[in-house]
Amino acid sequence: MATLKILTDEELLRRKSRPVDKINQRIKTLLDDMTQTMRLADGVGLAAPQVGVLRRVVVIEVEPGEVLELINPEIISRDGTQTGPEGCLSVPGRRGIVERPEHVVLRALDRDGNIREYEGEGLLARAMCHETDHLDGILYTDKAEKMLDEEDDE
Ligand code: ZN
């Protein structure tokens, strides 16, 4: 496994990612490397464009040890709202207040090519929205109603 470099250059992060048409060894290695990179960076989610790969691939780990590997993820339903602080490994040292749905249902392929649906609530729903946004070049800073100053951190 390799640790990948997390991009912080906004111009690169604005590019749109293409769907995965074939889950080959390269994609599986990408998933492994992304999980390792996310963990080392102490994040709860990482999208492939953040490591310079413009493919619709995401990893999320809200519950330690339970990694969701999402290929071509699509949010198929959302309801409720939650408002809270959010950060991004590509926007280091900053946080902002973002409104997200409280509950989402996401459909994606797993690494074996099976179509699966995942339900997310709270932080998991937030991570699912944040990471799928990355695939379309959207950053949470676009949606933040307020950015927090460093002194707002507890
Ligand atoms: Zn992010």
Side-chain angles (χ1 to χ4, degrees):
M1 267 192 270
T3 305
L4 307 171
K5 185 177 169 356
I6 298 175
L7 303 181
T8 55
D9 179 338
E10 189 168 335
E11 211 179 302
L12 296 174
L13 295 167
R14 290 299 180 185
R15 294 162 69 187
K16 237 181 120 127
S17 295
R18 285 175 300 151
V20 172
D21 44 25
K22 188 163 173 258
I23 302 170
N24 51 23
Q25 190 51 49
R26 228 172 125 187
I27 295 293
K28 293 177 185 177
T29 301
L30 175 65
L31 286 165
D32 292 338
D33 291 348
M34 283 173 61
T35 296
Q36 172 161 305
T37 303
M38 167 180 68
R39 285 176 165 168
L40 270 171
D42 220 2
V44 297
L46 189 67
Q50 292 181 273
V51 293
V53 178
L54 292 174
R55 290 293 181 164
R56 301 186 83 83
V57 173
V58 160
V59 294
I60 292 174
E61 187 177 32
V62 166
E63 290 293 326
E66 282 180 36
V67 178
L68 303 187
E69 299 178 328
L70 309 172
I71 298 168
N72 299 342
E74 239 182 296
I75 291 175
I76 55 173
S77 89
R78 45 186 98 212
D79 59 86
T81 57
Q82 56 172 319
T83 303
E86 200 164 311
C88 178
L89 295 176
S90 291
V91 189
R94 304 210 63 195
R95 294 197 306 159
I97 301 295
V98 188
E99 184 182 295
R100 299 285 190 185
E102 172 61 25
H103 179 259
V104 304
V105 179
L106 180 148
R107 185 180 291 153
L109 297 176
D110 66 17
R111 68 161 63 213
D112 299 315
N114 303 307
I115 298 175
R116 295 185 55 179
E117 284 186 10
Y118 303 88
E119 282 193 40
E121 260 184 38
L123 179 59
L124 180 55
R126 181 176 290 282
M128 286 170 163
C129 295
H130 178 116
E131 301 308 333
T132 52
D133 274 354
H134 270 301
L135 305 178
D136 293 316
I138 298 166
L139 300 177
Y140 84 91
T141 50
D142 301 339
K143 296 183 168 178
E145 53 197 55
K146 171 176 182 255
M147 291 302 289
L148 299 172
D149 297 326
E150 307 234 344
E151 56 265 32
D152 290 337
D153 285 347
E154 57 273 62

